[in-house]
Amino acid sequence: MRTVEYTRQGEAAQVLTLREERHRPAPGVGEVLVRMLVRPIHPGDLVGVEGLPGQPEQQSGARTPGVEGMGVVESLGADVRTLRPGQRVAVFPAPGTWSDFVVVPADLAVPVPAGVSDETAALMLVNPLTLCMLYRAMEKALRGQTNPVLQTAAGSSIGRLVGAAAVRHDLQLINLVRSTSGAERMRTLYPSQPAIATCDDDWQGQVRRHAGERGVQVVLDCVGDAMTQDLAGLLADGGTLISYGQLGSGTTPLEALPLMARALTVRGVSILRWMSRTPKERARDVAFAQDLSQSTPDLLEVAASYDLADFKAAIEHARRPAKSGTVLLTTPRTADSGHGAA
Ligand SMILES: NC(=O)c1ccc[n+]([C@@H]2O[C@H](COP(=O)([O-])OP(=O)(O)OC[C@H]3O[C@@H](n4cnc5c(N)ncnc54)[C@H](OP(=O)(O)O)[C@@H]3O)[C@@H](O)[C@H]2O)c1
């Protein structure tokens, strides 16, 4: 069995290594052993490996990146009656999916709907569930108003899901990207939504013109960095900045006075808190994700697939500007790991 791991935080290409071992983990009571076939490289996986500037290292012993992916149930622990060996499942949250095998609680192994490809299944949970969380936070912040919403890194995998949800729910969305070519791609993808490139000197003026007198009610931001102050400045009084990522590299400044005087709200959203929802709420979100993977698999776009052993080249690809979709790490199917999309 092959496992990608690191024992200290640092530049991913330097600290990650591939370890081969004969030992396979065994599932305990209520758990299943999954033979992993495909797992994504999410920006958050790399933050886990590299840490954030100014934050103390969080490390004790060897760790394996990855929180989601898909595979085939290899064996069942005691008391597992909902799954069977050979069944295709998507797993989340399952720390350590960048390995050929992972043990997960049976209730976190979600059956892959018939007809859904292995690649789509590997992307079925984290981003759609994040969309559910962002959408709920956004609805709460809009308080029934129909004012415009602004999102950063709109061409990201999550940004495109938000774009599709806005079309579906007739929400006025303004898309921000960092390049002119990215803005052109967004206009092609979602012609009804304005797309603005932050490399334009007057990008803030363009946002104001599109937002009109009502101003922007909600900003969905996954870039952070110095731009956060400008984004807060674009909010209407009483507006909300929802922070859910830090693609930028600098610190995120916010002036206290405008926050107070203009009654702005800043709140964070993280998939890490999804497990604190009730089992019924989580089941609803998972049903949404399963449905999305069947009905609109093109929204879970794959940028490229690499063998797990080629993780360094895959990480380099995952960081390439203008990448479209998510990079996957794969393990070849064997005779006993089924035929996929069944
Ligand atoms: N809070 C949560 O629970 C949660 C869950 C999932 C993801 N996220 C966050 O959501 C964000 C998007 O994730 P994803 O998987 O959708 O990413 P992705 O598909 O890899 O896309 C990221 C895109 O963002 C753009 N970008 C990168 N650095 C940027 C910068 N400094 N300024 C502006 N744009 C930049 C790039 O587009 P171009 O090169 O085309 O400009 C890049 O392709 C990440 O920050 C991730 O951590 C958060």
Side-chain angles (χ1 to χ4, degrees):
M1 129 170 178
R2 305 169 305 164
T3 300
V4 177
E5 65 180 27
Y6 60 111
T7 54
R8 63 182 171 86
Q9 284 183 312
E11 166 59 34
Q14 284 169 17
V15 300
L16 289 175
T17 54
L18 188 74
R19 185 166 56 88
E20 303 235 11
E21 60 176 326
R22 298 173 78 89
H23 169 80
R24 274 183 202 175
V29 178
E31 294 178 331
V32 291
L33 175 66
V34 178
R35 179 191 289 265
M36 294 301 297
L37 294 174
V38 192
R39 62 299 263 165
I41 299 180
H42 287 303
D45 296 328
L46 300 178
V47 171
V49 175
E50 303 192 336
L52 286 170
Q55 296 215 344
E57 172 146 348
Q58 296 170 337
Q59 190 68 45
S60 59
R63 288 172 69 175
T64 296
V67 290
E68 84 163 328
M70 73 76 58
V72 171
V73 175
E74 179 78 3
S75 60
L76 308 177
D79 290 345
V80 177
R81 293 187 183 84
T82 49
L83 297 166
R84 55 179 165 72
Q87 193 170 359
R88 290 194 312 148
V89 289
V91 295
F92 172 78
T97 54
W98 292 18
S99 178
D100 285 333
F101 289 92
V102 72
V103 170
V104 292
D107 61 342
L108 300 182
V110 177
V112 175
V116 171
S117 73
D118 289 353
E119 290 73 20
T120 298
L123 295 168
M124 189 175 88
L125 295 174
V126 165
N127 286 353
L129 299 182
T130 302
L131 173 68
C132 290
M133 296 185 75
L134 285 175
Y135 204 84
R136 280 191 286 270
M138 191 171 66
E139 277 194 317
K140 202 169 170 190
L142 281 170
R143 299 188 300 267
Q145 300 171 58
T146 55
N147 295 19
V149 173
L150 176 68
Q151 71 159 340
T152 59
S156 66
S157 306
I158 296 262
R160 290 173 188 218
L161 284 172
V162 171
V167 171
R168 189 168 171 177
H169 296 281
D170 207 15
L171 189 94
Q172 199 183 333
L173 182 69
I174 302 172
N175 288 317
L176 271 188
V177 290
R178 60 179 169 176
S179 67
T180 310
S181 56
E184 275 161 19
R185 280 196 300 276
M186 287 310 290
R187 280 182 211 114
T188 309
L189 216 50
Y190 299 116
S192 63
Q193 299 167 2
I196 297 165
T198 53
C199 61
D200 287 354
D201 288 341
D202 72 332
W203 69 269
Q204 293 173 66
Q206 292 181 46
V207 171
R208 285 199 178 91
R209 282 194 289 284
H210 281 293
E213 277 176 15
R214 293 178 300 164
V216 171
Q217 184 68 26
V218 179
V219 173
L220 296 175
D221 178 42
C222 63
V223 174
D225 215 329
M227 195 170 72
T228 313
Q229 186 67 26
D230 299 329
L231 294 171
L234 289 167
L235 280 170
D237 288 2
T240 302
L241 176 84
I242 297 173
S243 168
Y244 73 99
Q246 196 176 348
L247 288 166
S249 50
T251 49
T252 300
L254 272 178
E255 296 292 340
L257 205 56
L259 285 183
M260 288 184 277
R262 302 183 47 233
L264 302 182
T265 301
V266 179
R267 68 162 293 190
V269 167
S270 172
I271 188 79
L272 297 175
R273 300 185 78 84
W274 183 73
M275 284 302 287
S276 64
R277 294 180 60 72
T278 66
K280 204 170 162 186
E281 287 170 335
R282 281 192 271 129
R284 239 184 345 246
D285 287 353
V286 166
F288 166 82
Q290 287 174 307
D291 182 55
L292 187 141
S293 71
Q294 268 188 310
S295 59
T296 45
D298 48 318
L299 286 177
L300 304 176
E301 190 187 348
V302 175
S305 295
Y306 292 78
D307 185 83
L308 183 64
D310 297 328
F311 64 89
K312 288 188 183 174
I315 290 171
E316 184 277 317
H317 191 154
R319 288 180 156 150
R320 255 180 235 165
K323 161 192 69 84
S324 181
T326 306
V327 174
L328 303 177
L329 292 167
T330 61
T331 297
R333 274 185 176 273
T334 56
D336 52 349
S337 54
H339 300 292

Short mmCIF file of all heavy atoms in Angstrom, two decimals, residues 153-206:
data_model
loop_
_atom_site.label_atom_id
_atom_site.label_comp_id
_atom_site.label_asym_id
_atom_site.label_seq_id
_atom_site.Cartn_x
_atom_site.Cartn_y
_atom_site.Cartn_z
N ALA A 153 -12.47 35.15 -6.89
CA ALA A 153 -11.98 33.89 -7.51
C ALA A 153 -13.16 33.14 -8.13
O ALA A 153 -13.33 31.93 -7.91
CB ALA A 153 -11.24 33.02 -6.48
N ALA A 154 -13.95 33.87 -8.90
CA ALA A 154 -15.19 33.30 -9.43
C ALA A 154 -14.96 32.13 -10.38
O ALA A 154 -15.85 31.31 -10.59
CB ALA A 154 -15.98 34.40 -10.15
N GLY A 155 -13.76 32.03 -10.94
CA GLY A 155 -13.47 30.93 -11.87
C GLY A 155 -13.02 29.66 -11.17
O GLY A 155 -12.77 28.64 -11.82
N SER A 156 -12.91 29.70 -9.84
CA SER A 156 -12.51 28.50 -9.09
C SER A 156 -13.62 27.46 -9.17
O SER A 156 -14.75 27.77 -9.58
CB SER A 156 -12.24 28.87 -7.63
OG SER A 156 -13.44 29.28 -7.01
N SER A 157 -13.32 26.25 -8.75
CA SER A 157 -14.34 25.19 -8.80
C SER A 157 -15.55 25.58 -7.96
O SER A 157 -16.69 25.39 -8.37
CB SER A 157 -13.74 23.87 -8.28
OG SER A 157 -12.57 23.58 -9.01
N ILE A 158 -15.31 26.14 -6.77
CA ILE A 158 -16.41 26.58 -5.91
C ILE A 158 -17.14 27.75 -6.56
O ILE A 158 -18.37 27.81 -6.58
CB ILE A 158 -15.89 27.04 -4.53
CG1 ILE A 158 -15.24 25.87 -3.79
CG2 ILE A 158 -16.99 27.70 -3.72
CD1 ILE A 158 -16.09 25.19 -2.79
N GLY A 159 -16.35 28.70 -7.11
CA GLY A 159 -16.95 29.90 -7.71
C GLY A 159 -17.92 29.53 -8.82
O GLY A 159 -18.99 30.12 -8.97
N ARG A 160 -17.57 28.51 -9.60
CA ARG A 160 -18.47 28.09 -10.68
C ARG A 160 -19.74 27.43 -10.15
O ARG A 160 -20.81 27.58 -10.74
CB ARG A 160 -17.73 27.13 -11.62
CG ARG A 160 -16.66 27.85 -12.42
CD ARG A 160 -15.82 26.89 -13.20
NE ARG A 160 -14.69 27.59 -13.79
CZ ARG A 160 -14.22 27.31 -15.01
NH1 ARG A 160 -14.76 26.37 -15.73
NH2 ARG A 160 -13.19 27.98 -15.47
N LEU A 161 -19.61 26.73 -9.04
CA LEU A 161 -20.82 26.16 -8.41
C LEU A 161 -21.72 27.29 -7.93
O LEU A 161 -22.95 27.24 -8.08
CB LEU A 161 -20.44 25.28 -7.22
CG LEU A 161 -19.87 23.89 -7.53
CD1 LEU A 161 -19.35 23.23 -6.25
CD2 LEU A 161 -20.93 23.01 -8.17
N VAL A 162 -21.11 28.33 -7.33
CA VAL A 162 -21.89 29.48 -6.86
C VAL A 162 -22.56 30.15 -8.07
O VAL A 162 -23.74 30.51 -8.02
CB VAL A 162 -21.00 30.49 -6.10
CG1 VAL A 162 -21.75 31.79 -5.82
CG2 VAL A 162 -20.48 29.88 -4.80
N GLY A 163 -21.81 30.28 -9.17
CA GLY A 163 -22.36 30.89 -10.39
C GLY A 163 -23.58 30.13 -10.89
O GLY A 163 -24.61 30.71 -11.23
N ALA A 164 -23.48 28.79 -10.90
CA ALA A 164 -24.61 27.97 -11.37
C ALA A 164 -25.80 28.10 -10.44
O ALA A 164 -26.95 28.18 -10.88
CB ALA A 164 -24.18 26.50 -11.48
N ALA A 165 -25.53 28.15 -9.12
CA ALA A 165 -26.63 28.29 -8.15
C ALA A 165 -27.32 29.64 -8.33
O ALA A 165 -28.55 29.74 -8.20
CB ALA A 165 -26.09 28.14 -6.73
N ALA A 166 -26.52 30.67 -8.64
CA ALA A 166 -27.11 32.01 -8.82
C ALA A 166 -28.03 32.03 -10.03
O ALA A 166 -29.12 32.62 -9.99
CB ALA A 166 -26.00 33.05 -8.98
N VAL A 167 -27.62 31.35 -11.12
CA VAL A 167 -28.49 31.28 -12.31
C VAL A 167 -29.79 30.58 -11.94
O VAL A 167 -30.89 31.05 -12.24
CB VAL A 167 -27.77 30.52 -13.46
CG1 VAL A 167 -28.73 30.24 -14.60
CG2 VAL A 167 -26.56 31.31 -13.95
N ARG A 168 -29.65 29.45 -11.24
CA ARG A 168 -30.81 28.64 -10.89
C ARG A 168 -31.78 29.40 -9.98
O ARG A 168 -33.00 29.26 -10.12
CB ARG A 168 -30.30 27.39 -10.19
CG ARG A 168 -31.35 26.37 -9.97
CD ARG A 168 -30.76 25.07 -9.55
NE ARG A 168 -31.83 24.17 -9.15
CZ ARG A 168 -31.64 22.94 -8.80
NH1 ARG A 168 -30.43 22.45 -8.81
NH2 ARG A 168 -32.64 22.20 -8.43
N HIS A 169 -31.24 30.19 -9.05
CA HIS A 169 -32.11 30.87 -8.07
C HIS A 169 -32.34 32.34 -8.42
O HIS A 169 -32.83 33.09 -7.60
CB HIS A 169 -31.51 30.76 -6.67
CG HIS A 169 -31.43 29.35 -6.18
ND1 HIS A 169 -32.51 28.68 -5.68
CD2 HIS A 169 -30.41 28.47 -6.16
CE1 HIS A 169 -32.16 27.44 -5.35
NE2 HIS A 169 -30.88 27.29 -5.64
N ASP A 170 -31.94 32.73 -9.64
CA ASP A 170 -32.19 34.09 -10.11
C ASP A 170 -31.61 35.13 -9.14
O ASP A 170 -32.25 36.11 -8.80
CB ASP A 170 -33.71 34.31 -10.27
CG ASP A 170 -33.98 35.37 -11.31
OD1 ASP A 170 -33.05 35.69 -12.06
OD2 ASP A 170 -35.12 35.90 -11.35
N LEU A 171 -30.37 34.88 -8.75
CA LEU A 171 -29.69 35.76 -7.79
C LEU A 171 -28.76 36.68 -8.58
O LEU A 171 -28.10 36.23 -9.52
CB LEU A 171 -28.86 34.85 -6.88
CG LEU A 171 -28.21 35.45 -5.69
CD1 LEU A 171 -29.16 35.26 -4.50
CD2 LEU A 171 -26.92 34.70 -5.40
N GLN A 172 -28.71 37.94 -8.20
CA GLN A 172 -27.84 38.87 -8.92
C GLN A 172 -26.41 38.73 -8.42
O GLN A 172 -26.08 39.15 -7.30
CB GLN A 172 -28.33 40.30 -8.72
CG GLN A 172 -27.77 41.23 -9.79
CD GLN A 172 -28.19 42.67 -9.57
OE1 GLN A 172 -29.23 42.95 -8.96
NE2 GLN A 172 -27.37 43.59 -10.04
N LEU A 173 -25.55 38.10 -9.25
CA LEU A 173 -24.17 37.81 -8.84
C LEU A 173 -23.19 38.58 -9.70
O LEU A 173 -23.33 38.62 -10.93
CB LEU A 173 -23.92 36.30 -8.97
CG LEU A 173 -22.54 35.79 -8.54
CD1 LEU A 173 -22.37 35.90 -7.02
CD2 LEU A 173 -22.34 34.34 -8.97
N ILE A 174 -22.19 39.17 -9.07
CA ILE A 174 -21.10 39.83 -9.81
C ILE A 174 -19.84 39.00 -9.57
O ILE A 174 -19.49 38.71 -8.41
CB ILE A 174 -20.89 41.28 -9.31
CG1 ILE A 174 -22.19 42.09 -9.47
CG2 ILE A 174 -19.74 41.95 -10.07
CD1 ILE A 174 -22.13 43.48 -8.83
N ASN A 175 -19.18 38.60 -10.66
CA ASN A 175 -18.01 37.72 -10.55
C ASN A 175 -16.72 38.51 -10.66
O ASN A 175 -16.51 39.26 -11.61
CB ASN A 175 -18.05 36.68 -11.68
CG ASN A 175 -19.14 35.65 -11.45
OD1 ASN A 175 -19.33 35.17 -10.33
ND2 ASN A 175 -19.89 35.31 -12.50
N LEU A 176 -15.85 38.32 -9.67
CA LEU A 176 -14.51 38.93 -9.72
C LEU A 176 -13.48 37.84 -9.99
O LEU A 176 -13.52 36.78 -9.36
CB LEU A 176 -14.16 39.54 -8.35
CG LEU A 176 -14.52 40.98 -8.02
CD1 LEU A 176 -13.87 41.36 -6.70
CD2 LEU A 176 -14.10 41.95 -9.12
N VAL A 177 -12.56 38.11 -10.92
CA VAL A 177 -11.43 37.21 -11.16
C VAL A 177 -10.19 38.08 -11.26
O VAL A 177 -10.29 39.30 -11.28
CB VAL A 177 -11.61 36.39 -12.47
CG1 VAL A 177 -12.71 35.36 -12.33
CG2 VAL A 177 -11.90 37.31 -13.63
N ARG A 178 -9.01 37.46 -11.31
CA ARG A 178 -7.82 38.32 -11.27
C ARG A 178 -7.27 38.68 -12.64
O ARG A 178 -6.41 39.54 -12.76
CB ARG A 178 -6.74 37.68 -10.41
CG ARG A 178 -6.28 36.33 -10.89
CD ARG A 178 -5.18 35.77 -10.01
NE ARG A 178 -4.94 34.38 -10.32
CZ ARG A 178 -4.00 33.65 -9.78
NH1 ARG A 178 -3.21 34.17 -8.87
NH2 ARG A 178 -3.84 32.38 -10.11
N SER A 179 -7.73 37.99 -13.71
CA SER A 179 -7.15 38.27 -15.04
C SER A 179 -8.24 38.58 -16.07
O SER A 179 -9.40 38.17 -15.92
CB SER A 179 -6.35 37.05 -15.53
OG SER A 179 -7.23 35.99 -15.78
N THR A 180 -7.82 39.29 -17.13
CA THR A 180 -8.75 39.62 -18.22
C THR A 180 -9.25 38.36 -18.91
O THR A 180 -10.44 38.22 -19.21
CB THR A 180 -8.02 40.52 -19.25
OG1 THR A 180 -7.41 41.58 -18.54
CG2 THR A 180 -8.97 41.07 -20.27
N SER A 181 -8.32 37.39 -19.12
CA SER A 181 -8.75 36.15 -19.78
C SER A 181 -9.72 35.37 -18.89
O SER A 181 -10.68 34.77 -19.38
CB SER A 181 -7.53 35.28 -20.15
OG SER A 181 -6.78 35.03 -18.98
N GLY A 182 -9.50 35.43 -17.56
CA GLY A 182 -10.42 34.77 -16.63
C GLY A 182 -11.81 35.39 -16.71
O GLY A 182 -12.83 34.68 -16.67
N ALA A 183 -11.86 36.72 -16.85
CA ALA A 183 -13.16 37.40 -16.94
C ALA A 183 -13.87 36.99 -18.24
O ALA A 183 -15.09 36.76 -18.24
CB ALA A 183 -12.95 38.92 -16.90
N GLU A 184 -13.10 36.85 -19.32
CA GLU A 184 -13.71 36.42 -20.59
C GLU A 184 -14.29 35.02 -20.45
O GLU A 184 -15.40 34.73 -20.91
CB GLU A 184 -12.68 36.45 -21.72
CG GLU A 184 -12.54 37.83 -22.35
CD GLU A 184 -11.24 38.02 -23.11
OE1 GLU A 184 -10.60 37.00 -23.47
OE2 GLU A 184 -10.85 39.18 -23.32
N ARG A 185 -13.53 34.13 -19.77
CA ARG A 185 -14.04 32.76 -19.57
C ARG A 185 -15.34 32.77 -18.78
O ARG A 185 -16.29 32.06 -19.08
CB ARG A 185 -12.99 31.90 -18.84
CG ARG A 185 -11.88 31.37 -19.74
CD ARG A 185 -11.12 30.24 -19.07
NE ARG A 185 -10.48 30.63 -17.83
CZ ARG A 185 -9.31 31.23 -17.73
NH1 ARG A 185 -8.62 31.49 -18.84
NH2 ARG A 185 -8.79 31.56 -16.56
N MET A 186 -15.40 33.62 -17.75
CA MET A 186 -16.61 33.68 -16.92
C MET A 186 -17.81 34.20 -17.71
O MET A 186 -18.93 33.74 -17.54
CB MET A 186 -16.39 34.56 -15.68
CG MET A 186 -15.52 33.94 -14.61
SD MET A 186 -16.00 32.26 -14.14
CE MET A 186 -17.54 32.56 -13.28
N ARG A 187 -17.56 35.19 -18.61
CA ARG A 187 -18.66 35.74 -19.42
C ARG A 187 -19.22 34.66 -20.36
O ARG A 187 -20.41 34.59 -20.62
CB ARG A 187 -18.18 36.94 -20.23
CG ARG A 187 -18.11 38.20 -19.40
CD ARG A 187 -17.68 39.42 -20.19
NE ARG A 187 -16.96 40.31 -19.30
CZ ARG A 187 -15.68 40.62 -19.38
NH1 ARG A 187 -14.95 40.17 -20.39
NH2 ARG A 187 -15.11 41.41 -18.49
N THR A 188 -18.33 33.81 -20.87
CA THR A 188 -18.77 32.72 -21.74
C THR A 188 -19.61 31.72 -20.95
O THR A 188 -20.65 31.25 -21.40
CB THR A 188 -17.55 31.99 -22.36
OG1 THR A 188 -16.71 32.96 -22.93
CG2 THR A 188 -17.96 30.96 -23.39
N LEU A 189 -19.14 31.44 -19.73
CA LEU A 189 -19.80 30.43 -18.88
C LEU A 189 -21.15 30.93 -18.36
O LEU A 189 -22.15 30.21 -18.40
CB LEU A 189 -18.85 30.13 -17.71
CG LEU A 189 -18.75 28.73 -17.15
CD1 LEU A 189 -18.52 27.72 -18.25
CD2 LEU A 189 -17.61 28.68 -16.13
N TYR A 190 -21.16 32.16 -17.86
CA TYR A 190 -22.38 32.73 -17.25
C TYR A 190 -22.63 34.12 -17.83
O TYR A 190 -22.33 35.14 -17.20
CB TYR A 190 -22.24 32.80 -15.72
CG TYR A 190 -22.04 31.44 -15.09
CD1 TYR A 190 -20.86 31.14 -14.42
CD2 TYR A 190 -23.03 30.47 -15.17
CE1 TYR A 190 -20.68 29.88 -13.85
CE2 TYR A 190 -22.85 29.21 -14.62
CZ TYR A 190 -21.67 28.93 -13.96
OH TYR A 190 -21.49 27.69 -13.42
N PRO A 191 -23.18 34.18 -19.07
CA PRO A 191 -23.32 35.46 -19.77
C PRO A 191 -24.19 36.47 -19.02
O PRO A 191 -24.02 37.68 -19.20
CB PRO A 191 -23.99 35.07 -21.10
CG PRO A 191 -23.89 33.60 -21.20
CD PRO A 191 -23.68 33.04 -19.84
N SER A 192 -25.10 36.00 -18.17
CA SER A 192 -26.00 36.95 -17.48
C SER A 192 -25.33 37.62 -16.28
O SER A 192 -25.89 38.53 -15.69
CB SER A 192 -27.27 36.22 -17.02
OG SER A 192 -26.91 35.23 -16.07
N GLN A 193 -24.11 37.15 -15.92
CA GLN A 193 -23.44 37.69 -14.73
C GLN A 193 -22.25 38.56 -15.14
O GLN A 193 -21.39 38.10 -15.90
CB GLN A 193 -22.95 36.54 -13.83
CG GLN A 193 -24.09 35.66 -13.34
CD GLN A 193 -23.61 34.34 -12.73
OE1 GLN A 193 -22.41 34.08 -12.63
NE2 GLN A 193 -24.55 33.52 -12.33
N PRO A 194 -22.16 39.81 -14.64
CA PRO A 194 -21.00 40.63 -14.95
C PRO A 194 -19.73 39.96 -14.43
O PRO A 194 -19.75 39.38 -13.34
CB PRO A 194 -21.24 41.93 -14.19
CG PRO A 194 -22.65 41.89 -13.72
CD PRO A 194 -23.11 40.48 -13.72
N ALA A 195 -18.65 40.01 -15.22
CA ALA A 195 -17.36 39.45 -14.78
C ALA A 195 -16.32 40.56 -14.87
O ALA A 195 -16.17 41.19 -15.92
CB ALA A 195 -16.98 38.27 -15.67
N ILE A 196 -15.63 40.81 -13.78
CA ILE A 196 -14.69 41.94 -13.68
C ILE A 196 -13.33 41.42 -13.26
O ILE A 196 -13.23 40.58 -12.36
CB ILE A 196 -15.23 42.97 -12.64
CG1 ILE A 196 -16.58 43.54 -13.12
CG2 ILE A 196 -14.22 44.09 -12.40
CD1 ILE A 196 -17.36 44.25 -12.05
N ALA A 197 -12.28 41.94 -13.92
CA ALA A 197 -10.92 41.50 -13.59
C ALA A 197 -10.27 42.50 -12.64
O ALA A 197 -10.26 43.71 -12.92
CB ALA A 197 -10.10 41.39 -14.88
N THR A 198 -9.73 42.02 -11.53
CA THR A 198 -9.12 42.92 -10.54
C THR A 198 -7.78 43.49 -11.02
O THR A 198 -7.22 44.36 -10.37
CB THR A 198 -8.91 42.22 -9.18
OG1 THR A 198 -8.17 41.01 -9.40
CG2 THR A 198 -10.23 41.89 -8.51
N CYS A 199 -7.29 43.00 -12.19
CA CYS A 199 -6.08 43.61 -12.75
C CYS A 199 -6.43 44.95 -13.43
O CYS A 199 -5.53 45.74 -13.73
CB CYS A 199 -5.38 42.67 -13.72
SG CYS A 199 -6.39 42.21 -15.11
N ASP A 200 -7.71 45.22 -13.65
CA ASP A 200 -8.14 46.54 -14.18
C ASP A 200 -8.03 47.57 -13.07
O ASP A 200 -8.53 47.33 -11.96
CB ASP A 200 -9.61 46.50 -14.64
CG ASP A 200 -9.78 45.71 -15.92
OD1 ASP A 200 -8.76 45.31 -16.50
OD2 ASP A 200 -10.95 45.48 -16.32
N ASP A 201 -7.45 48.75 -13.37
CA ASP A 201 -7.29 49.78 -12.34
C ASP A 201 -8.61 50.18 -11.72
O ASP A 201 -8.70 50.44 -10.52
CB ASP A 201 -6.61 51.02 -12.92
CG ASP A 201 -5.13 50.76 -13.21
OD1 ASP A 201 -4.61 49.78 -12.63
OD2 ASP A 201 -4.53 51.50 -14.01
N ASP A 202 -9.67 50.24 -12.55
CA ASP A 202 -10.95 50.74 -12.03
C ASP A 202 -11.93 49.62 -11.69
O ASP A 202 -13.15 49.78 -11.81
CB ASP A 202 -11.60 51.69 -13.04
CG ASP A 202 -12.13 50.94 -14.25
OD1 ASP A 202 -11.56 49.86 -14.57
OD2 ASP A 202 -13.11 51.39 -14.86
N TRP A 203 -11.40 48.46 -11.23
CA TRP A 203 -12.31 47.32 -10.97
C TRP A 203 -13.37 47.65 -9.92
O TRP A 203 -14.51 47.21 -10.04
CB TRP A 203 -11.54 46.05 -10.62
CG TRP A 203 -10.82 46.03 -9.29
CD1 TRP A 203 -9.55 46.41 -9.07
CD2 TRP A 203 -11.35 45.62 -8.02
NE1 TRP A 203 -9.23 46.25 -7.74
CE2 TRP A 203 -10.32 45.77 -7.08
CE3 TRP A 203 -12.58 45.13 -7.59
CZ2 TRP A 203 -10.48 45.45 -5.73
CZ3 TRP A 203 -12.74 44.81 -6.25
CH2 TRP A 203 -11.71 44.97 -5.33
N GLN A 204 -12.98 48.47 -8.95
CA GLN A 204 -13.97 48.80 -7.91
C GLN A 204 -15.10 49.67 -8.49
O GLN A 204 -16.27 49.50 -8.16
CB GLN A 204 -13.30 49.51 -6.75
CG GLN A 204 -12.35 48.58 -6.01
CD GLN A 204 -11.54 49.30 -4.96
OE1 GLN A 204 -12.09 49.80 -3.99
NE2 GLN A 204 -10.24 49.38 -5.15
N GLY A 205 -14.70 50.60 -9.39
CA GLY A 205 -15.70 51.44 -10.05
C GLY A 205 -16.66 50.57 -10.87
O GLY A 205 -17.87 50.79 -10.89
N GLN A 206 -16.09 49.56 -11.55
CA GLN A 206 -16.94 48.66 -12.37
C GLN A 206 -17.92 47.92 -11.48
O GLN A 206 -19.09 47.76 -11.83
CB GLN A 206 -16.06 47.67 -13.12
CG GLN A 206 -15.19 48.30 -14.20
CD GLN A 206 -14.36 47.24 -14.93
OE1 GLN A 206 -14.86 46.19 -15.31
NE2 GLN A 206 -13.08 47.52 -15.11
#
